[in-house]
Amino acid sequence: GGRKEFMGGCDIREQLSGGPKLRSIDDFNRSVAAGGSEGAPVLERLRSVMEEIGVENELFDQVLSGVKKEVREKNGFGVERDDALVVDEAVKTLGEKLKNSMKAIAVEQLRIN
């Protein structure tokens, strides 16, 4: 079996999956509105989904605000800084915190069963 002359759909999909993830127009626009932040549209979707499962927007906003504060303090940024870098770092930090919460729930479930 030599090198393929023509690539099929699965070959192209395999190549594309390593490439940049396609974003919706809405996500792109939110990202631009947030100064180029990749995380801003993700936060909006997460906020909406969390509300759907019973987490109030006020609580989400309060936690996100605290996470942004942590990011600013950790990086020595000014209190008023809220640009793409702060937002994107806050997304990573919030993701880690949510993941740790899920792991804690999983550990507790194992203890109960």
Side-chain angles (χ1 to χ4, degrees), residues 5-79:
E5 291 295 317
F6 303 100
M7 290 172 51
C10 57
D11 302 308
I12 293 169
R13 276 191 298 278
E14 186 179 322
Q15 275 188 349
L16 287 176
S17 66
K21 202 173 135 228
L22 295 174
R23 296 186 292 165
S24 72
I25 295 291
D26 289 341
D27 281 359
F28 177 78
N29 290 338
R30 284 189 201 107
S31 172
V32 170
S37 165
E38 295 288 322
V42 174
L43 286 174
E44 279 193 38
R45 289 196 309 269
L46 180 61
R47 183 178 193 262
S48 175
V49 168
M50 296 287 271
E51 186 183 36
E52 285 179 40
I53 63 169
V55 178
E56 296 84 2
N57 283 334
E58 294 75 22
L59 178 58
F60 181 86
D61 294 343
Q62 179 185 346
V63 169
L64 179 59
S65 179
V67 169
K68 284 180 178 179
K69 185 177 181 223
E70 285 175 35
V71 166
R72 286 187 204 99
E73 287 171 359
K74 190 177 84 178
N75 294 290
F77 297 148
V79 214

Side-chain angles (χ1 to χ4, degrees), residues 46 67 70-71 74 88-104:
L46 180 61
V67 169
E70 285 175 35
V71 166
K74 190 177 84 178
D88 291 345
E89 279 301 308
V91 169
K92 285 183 204 160
T93 304
L94 184 59
E96 289 164 13
K97 289 178 181 289
L98 289 172
K99 184 177 181 177
N100 289 337
S101 296
M102 296 294 274
K103 284 180 178 178

